[in-house]
Amino acid sequence: MSKIAVVYWSGTGNTEAMAAAVLEGAKEKGGDAAIFTPSDFDVSMIDSLDAIAFGCPAMGGEVLEEDEFEPMFSACQSKLGGKKIALFGSYGWGDGEWMRTWEETCKGAGLELACDSVICNEAPDDEAVAACKALGAALAE
């Protein structure tokens, strides 16, 4: 059974709803999954995990949330090699540039994403919820 963390930051509840769907998908596939906010998660937890889903919405000029999420993610990057990781988040403007930048940051650090990232505009619709469940399932497989 894969041990999975779903780590997210949400300002409006949209990314939180996505995180809940990721968690549900992981558990439906038999994963031992738990959900965390950046203040509840730190680099010391990574060694005990098989997979991590990171969720953060686009902020400001299409960047990750800078006060809590980005510092936590940056601190974790060096320990993520060899782990199954996936990214998700919502946005309210733009075209998803923050996710492309985030994916490139991961690839530049030598990290391999376990599946396609999931993004949605504003609140997740049924299609986005299904994609989030599939992301969670992919981490549990």
Side-chain angles (χ1 to χ4, degrees):
M1 176 184 317
S2 294
K3 187 163 175 137
I4 303 159
V6 180
V7 185
Y8 77 95
W9 186 91
S10 186
T12 62
N14 295 337
T15 302
E16 182 177 17
M18 295 175 80
V22 171
L23 182 72
E24 185 178 341
K27 287 184 172 189
E28 285 176 357
K29 276 291 185 186
D32 176 11
I35 200 163
F36 302 91
T37 62
S39 60
D40 299 327
F41 189 82
D42 67 64
V43 69
S44 69
M45 302 167 82
I46 294 174
D47 287 339
S48 67
L49 298 167
D50 299 302
I52 308 169
F54 290 101
C56 187
M59 302 294 290
E62 294 229 30
V63 297
L64 297 174
E65 191 279 326
E66 298 171 304
D67 294 326
E68 295 177 51
F69 189 88
E70 196 283 327
M72 177 275 309
F73 185 76
S74 290
C76 291
Q77 269 186 283
S78 66
K79 297 278 281 180
L80 296 175
K83 301 288 181 183
K84 288 174 99 174
I85 63 169
L87 310 176
F88 65 94
S90 62
Y91 63 99
W93 60 88
D95 67 354
E97 178 184 346
W98 104 102
M99 184 59 74
R100 293 188 300 276
T101 302
W102 194 8
E103 290 169 342
E104 288 302 316
T105 298
C106 290
K107 290 174 187 170
L111 305 177
E112 186 175 328
L113 299 178
C115 58
D116 289 341
S117 301
V118 177
I119 66 172
C120 70
N121 185 266
E122 303 293 348
D125 59 13
D126 290 345
E127 183 178 328
V129 168
C132 288
K133 286 182 180 180
L135 185 149
L139 292 179
E141 293 175 336

